[in-house]
Amino acid sequence: MEYEEAKQLIVDELTKKSKSKSKFYFNDLSKILDAKPRDAKKIVNKLVEEGILEYWSSGSTSMYGLKGMGKQAAAEHED
């Protein structure tokens, strides 16, 4: 799968699902890409580097979401 195609697939799927949740496990992203974990990790890391996805960790759980989406993003912009 080409990177641009993978990027569009992730953005489209997460945008569709963003009405019900804003954070996704790595396995969710891997399933969307239908890729092996190692290949999916490269794509996901590049999306984080480009600022399309953001990495979130509670310390015990690691998740990813579209940058600027969800409750956490809204709370960070409150003054």
Side-chain angles (χ1 to χ4, degrees), residues 49-60:
E49 285 174 23
E50 290 184 2
I52 294 164
L53 291 180
E54 60 186 358
Y55 174 78
W56 179 86
S57 175
S58 67
S60 61

Side-chain angles (χ1 to χ4, degrees), residues 9 12-13 15-16 19 36-37 40-41 47 56 62 71 73:
L9 191 60
D12 290 348
E13 282 297 311
T15 301
K16 265 194 276 185
K19 289 175 181 61
K36 293 178 182 172
K41 189 75 170 168
L47 290 169
W56 179 86
S62 299
K71 294 177 186 174

Side-chain angles (χ1 to χ4, degrees), residues 28-74:
D28 297 332
L29 302 179
S30 187
K31 283 179 193 168
I32 290 169
L33 293 170
D34 193 26
K36 293 178 182 172
R38 177 176 278 175
D39 296 333
K41 189 75 170 168
K42 290 176 187 175
I43 293 168
V44 169
N45 284 341
K46 191 165 182 180
L47 290 169
V48 170
E49 285 174 23
E50 290 184 2
I52 294 164
L53 291 180
E54 60 186 358
Y55 174 78
W56 179 86
S57 175
S58 67
S60 61
T61 303
S62 299
M63 300 182 89
Y64 298 86
L66 288 172
K67 190 140 180 89
M69 300 286 271
K71 294 177 186 174
Q72 186 70 27

